[in-house]
Amino acid sequence: MALKNTLNLSNLTYQELNSVKEIAGEHLTMSCKFEDYANQVQDPQLKQMFQQASSDAKMTATNLINSL
């Protein structure tokens, strides 16, 4: 499941802001890993599942970053 919209994060503390940045970075890492997995598998259903997971993770990271 992806974060499909930006959030209002204007009232975050410094620690919360850093946590959101870390979470966004982790989602970018997941996106890359899922894309790598998609490129390695032969099964079309698994390939599609990994590609969707990669896309969702990237969308979440992008929306978190855009919310900052």
Side-chain angles (χ1 to χ4, degrees), residues 14-59:
Y14 182 75
Q15 185 175 10
E16 291 168 333
L17 177 64
N18 283 335
S19 294
V20 171
K21 288 179 182 179
E22 186 176 328
I23 291 167
E26 290 168 354
H27 275 79
L28 288 174
T29 299
M30 288 190 313
S31 176
C32 290
K33 288 184 176 189
F34 285 137
E35 190 62 37
D36 285 344
Y37 300 154
N39 291 332
Q40 293 176 28
V41 298
Q42 302 300 317
D43 183 288
Q45 288 179 316
L46 280 176
K47 184 177 286 291
Q48 181 182 10
M49 182 188 71
F50 284 130
Q51 288 170 334
Q52 184 62 51
S54 174
S55 177
D56 287 350
K58 190 170 190 175
M59 180 188 310

Side-chain angles (χ1 to χ4, degrees), residues 3 5-28 59-68:
L3 175 64
N5 298 308
T6 58
L7 303 169
N8 180 3
L9 301 177
S10 59
N11 294 322
L12 294 181
T13 66
Y14 182 75
Q15 185 175 10
E16 291 168 333
L17 177 64
N18 283 335
S19 294
V20 171
K21 288 179 182 179
E22 186 176 328
I23 291 167
E26 290 168 354
H27 275 79
L28 288 174
M59 180 188 310
T60 297
T62 300
N63 285 331
L64 284 171
I65 291 166
N66 289 339
S67 295
L68 297 175

